[in-house]
Amino acid sequence: GDLVFTTDSFVVTPLEFPGGDIGVLAVAGTVNDLAVMGAVPVALSLGLIIEEGLPLDTLKRIVSSVSSTARTAGVKIVTGDTKVIERRAGDGLFINTAGVGRRRPDVKLDAARISPGDAIMVNGRLAEHGLTIMSVRNGIQFESDLRSDGRPLNHLIGRVLDRGADVRFIRDATRGGLAGVLADISEQRGLSIQIEEERLPISPTARHAAEMLGLDPISVANEGIAVFVVAADDAATALAAMRGLPEGRDAAVVGRVTDSRPPLVELNTRAG
């Protein structure tokens, strides 16, 4: 009854980018899926589908990233498979993972527990992974280089839960970004969420990149960012726990849940 299981597949162009590669994403993404369900990750599988023509040195670097990211997360790669296919789209490599973890005792993460007054928190700067990938694809250079935030979050999530904060819900803000997670919560719970623009941890470089690409940073994918819904009285405890680790040093309380009708996710801009 305490086992948690997940699976995911990873495709990204380019395979390597500032701050990471597809190997980092595969391990961190699966570990994070387990962690946001309140589980301690234990073991992963690794399936590689390789196109003909992928340079062996590229494969070695990516497998090395898989190994180092697994060590950082404290999980083992316990089984795997390799297939080689004819050259098709030229993407080079696809990775499938599955992960098993054990649910932490006495942790109850469930959107049904979210209530008006709860605090909305994130553990770091938004949009940097998605903007890094799109900037590289478009050949755009910035004075301060953007880097992917792909990283395991299981230690940070475990630290917050171990501090005793009443965490209602956690979700990693991957596809759809912060906005996508909050829209799902609002729709599922029938509650409104108000976000304060001035509290959002977005770097000037990310804002500039988003403007150049015509994107809204809160809708851009992240790989090392989770959205936490925490009881208001425990927000300070959770924030202090996050900021005690490198992956949480830019953590912030960005908004709150309300009972206003109709249920909407609203951004309170700097102009009010």
Side-chain angles (χ1 to χ4, degrees):
D2 62 348
L3 287 178
V4 176
F5 178 68
T6 188
T7 186
D8 205 349
S9 297
F10 297 84
V11 179
V12 64
T13 304
L15 295 175
E16 299 174 286
F17 41 82
D21 56 34
I22 191 172
V24 174
L25 299 186
V27 175
T30 307
V31 165
N32 294 346
D33 282 347
L34 294 169
V36 300
M37 291 188 284
V40 177
V42 174
L44 307 182
S45 71
L46 182 76
L48 304 179
I49 300 174
I50 306 168
E51 282 191 346
E52 291 177 332
L54 179 73
L56 188 58
D57 285 346
T58 301
L59 180 61
K60 287 180 177 178
R61 287 194 300 271
I62 290 171
V63 172
S64 178
S65 290
V66 166
S67 177
S68 62
T69 308
R71 283 196 301 271
T72 297
V75 299
K76 303 229 180 243
I77 310 292
V78 297
T79 189
D81 186 50
T82 302
K83 292 290 184 292
V84 178
I85 60 173
E86 67 275 11
R87 181 181 290 275
R88 296 179 181 176
D91 292 320
L93 177 66
F94 313 93
I95 298 181
N96 173 267
T97 57
V100 177
R102 290 197 176 276
R103 192 184 306 278
R104 291 170 172 270
D106 303 322
V107 171
K108 298 178 181 178
L109 299 175
D110 190 340
R113 298 184 62 232
I114 297 173
S115 303
D118 289 347
I120 305 294
M121 309 176 67
V122 295
N123 64 284
R125 297 189 302 192
L126 301 172
E128 299 197 351
H129 170 75
L131 291 172
T132 296
I133 299 298
M134 287 181 274
S135 298
V136 172
R137 286 178 188 165
N138 287 279
I140 300 172
Q141 301 296 322
F142 299 95
E143 291 182 5
S144 297
D145 292 337
L146 281 169
R147 297 176 64 81
S148 169
D149 62 4
R151 57 201 169 186
L153 295 176
N154 55 313
H155 299 312
L156 177 137
I157 291 171
R159 182 184 177 101
V160 173
L161 296 175
D162 288 343
R163 291 291 177 89
D166 186 3
V167 181
R168 319 278 203 188
F169 177 85
I170 312 174
R171 175 80 57 81
D172 46 341
T174 51
R175 189 177 300 113
L178 172 64
V181 174
L182 298 183
D184 285 347
I185 293 172
S186 179
E187 181 177 7
Q188 185 174 347
R189 289 288 291 121
L191 295 169
S192 289
I193 297 172
Q194 186 172 84
I195 300 302
E196 303 295 332
E197 184 180 25
E198 65 181 4
R199 295 184 183 178
L200 294 173
I202 303 173
S203 71
T205 302
R207 289 188 185 279
H208 180 52
E211 289 174 1
M212 289 186 66
L213 294 167
L215 300 169
D216 182 347
I218 65 172
S219 298
V220 174
N222 308 272
E223 285 294 340
I225 299 297
V227 180
F228 295 74
V229 183
V230 182
D233 291 343
D234 290 336
T237 299
L239 191 63
M242 291 182 202
R243 289 181 174 173
L245 293 176
E247 57 269 37
R249 65 172 176 263
D250 295 310
V253 177
V254 298
R256 63 190 179 93
V257 180
T258 76
D259 57 1
S260 62
R261 291 288 183 269
L264 295 170
V265 179
E266 298 181 301
L267 179 70
N268 188 22
T269 68
R270 288 185 173 86

